[in-house]
Amino acid sequence: MAKPKEKKAKTGRNGPCWCGSGKKYKDCHLAQEEAQRAEHLRLWRAEETLFPKIFEAAQTLLENFPVAFAQFWQDKYSLEELDSLDDQEQRGAERCLTWFSFDHLLADGRTLVETLAQTPEQIPADLTFDPYEKQLLQSWQPVRMRPYLVQEVQKGKGFTVKDLLNETLSVVTDQAASKRLEVAELLIAHIVPIGEAYHITGAAAQLTSDTYETLRDFMQMHLLDLQKTQPTATMNDLAQQRSYIFNHLLMSLPHEHNPSILEDILLQTKVALQLAGQSVAGIVGKEEQKEEVAPEEEPNSGDAVEEHFPKNQ
C-alpha cells in the first residue's frame, strides 16, 4: 500500500490556482477537484453497502464454512458457539466471517472476494453490485488479514501504519479507530483501499506494544515452516496462504502482560511446527545478529490483547 499524496493547501474560489497557471482557481482546477471529491464520496458510500453484501454472499457457501471455522479457531470452538463468539472473543464472529470472505481459499484456490470480482456469473441472482462496488471488489482482491505497526496517530482523523510483512506505509482514514490507538501499538486487521485512501473493514485486533517481538518471532517461525515446502516463500506468501495463524496468536496472548507466557507461546509454536534442533533465538536469527528492535516506546503494562474496535461509524 502506497502512502497517499499530501493534500494541497486549500485555495479560495477566486484565489490564484495552486498549479501556477495564473488563472483563478474556479476557472482552472476547481471543477476537476470537485468531481474527484464526488467520486471519492461515492466510493466511501459503496464501501458501506459492499461489506454487508460480501457477508450475504458468504451465506451461500455454508458447505465451506465448517472447515474454515475450525482452521480459524484452531478447533477451540464448535459451530454451535458461533452466535456467542462476539462475547467470548470480542467480535469473534465478525472477525471470522471477515477472514472467511477475504482469506479462506475455496476449492478453486480463490477467495470469496476474488470470486465475486472475477466471475460475476457465479454471483447469486438476487445479489447485485453497482459500478462503485465492483470497482472496490477489484481493488480488494489481494487484501488479507495482516499485522501492522502504528507509526503516527491523528486523533479523530486517522493514523499511519507500517505493514510488518512488506514494510510499506499506509495512511488509514478511520475516525473511531484513531481515537483508541497509540503509537507503537499493533493491529491485526483487514485494511482495504478506497480510491487513494485506506480503511479498516470488519473488526480489528489491537495489541499493546510489548507484543511486538513475540509477533515478529512468531511470523518468522511460520515462514520457516512454509519454506519447508516452498523454499522461496516470503512473508507476503505467508499472509496469502496462512493468515489464520494471526488469530491463533491472538487466542494465545495473555490478557495481562506476562513475559513468561509470551516465551511459552514461541516454545509451543516451535514444537507444533517441528522446528527441532534449534533454540528459539536461533530460529528467528537472534543468535547471529541483532535484528530490528522493538519500537522505542515505553512498554504498555496493560492487556496484551486490548480490544477489537468496530468500523468507523
Side-chain angles (χ1 to χ4, degrees), residues 66-84:
V67 172
F69 184 89
Q71 188 178 57
F72 188 75
W73 293 112
Q74 212 170 13
D75 293 316
K76 181 178 179 180
Y77 299 106
S78 66
L79 276 174
E80 289 71 25
E81 297 175 276
L82 178 62
D83 291 339
S84 63

Side-chain angles (χ1 to χ4, degrees), residues 209-254:
S209 59
D210 47 30
T211 58
Y212 175 86
E213 289 191 1
T214 300
L215 172 59
R216 181 197 60 190
D217 295 350
F218 181 83
M219 293 190 304
Q220 184 61 36
M221 287 184 178
H222 278 277
L223 177 60
L224 288 173
D225 183 62
L226 180 60
Q227 288 173 341
K228 291 177 183 177
T229 55
Q230 302 175 38
T232 61
T234 65
M235 285 291 185
N236 276 320
D237 295 319
L238 184 66
Q240 291 290 319
Q241 300 177 40
R242 301 185 182 182
S243 61
Y244 52 83
I245 67 169
F246 299 118
N247 193 59
H248 297 175
L249 177 62
L250 290 174
M251 291 190 295
S252 302
L253 289 173

Side-chain angles (χ1 to χ4, degrees), residues 105-170:
L105 299 179
L106 303 173
D108 62 0
R110 295 182 299 178
T111 66
L112 172 59
V113 169
E114 289 171 334
T115 299
L116 294 175
Q118 297 172 17
T119 52
E121 66 275 8
Q122 295 185 23
I123 298 174
D126 59 346
L127 189 62
T128 60
F129 300 103
D130 68 30
Y132 292 97
E133 292 170 337
K134 291 178 180 178
Q135 181 178 335
L136 290 180
L137 271 176
Q138 293 297 325
S139 65
W140 287 7
Q141 291 185 72
V143 171
R144 299 291 186 273
M145 184 168 67
R146 301 170 74 96
Y148 298 91
L149 173 66
V150 180
Q151 296 210 312
E152 183 180 349
V153 178
Q154 290 184 293
K155 295 295 185 181
K157 295 183 179 180
F159 51 93
T160 301
V161 293
K162 180 173 74 172
D163 186 328
L164 292 180
L165 300 181
N166 61 20
E167 304 294 313
T168 58
L169 298 177
S170 300

Side-chain angles (χ1 to χ4, degrees), residues 45-59 101 127 129 133 140 201 311:
R45 288 174 176 168
E47 189 267 348
E48 294 177 356
T49 56
L50 176 58
F51 193 64
K53 289 182 179 180
I54 292 174
F55 272 19
E56 185 178 343
Q59 302 300 313
S101 302
L127 189 62
F129 300 103
E133 292 170 337
W140 287 7
T201 196
K311 291 173 51 182

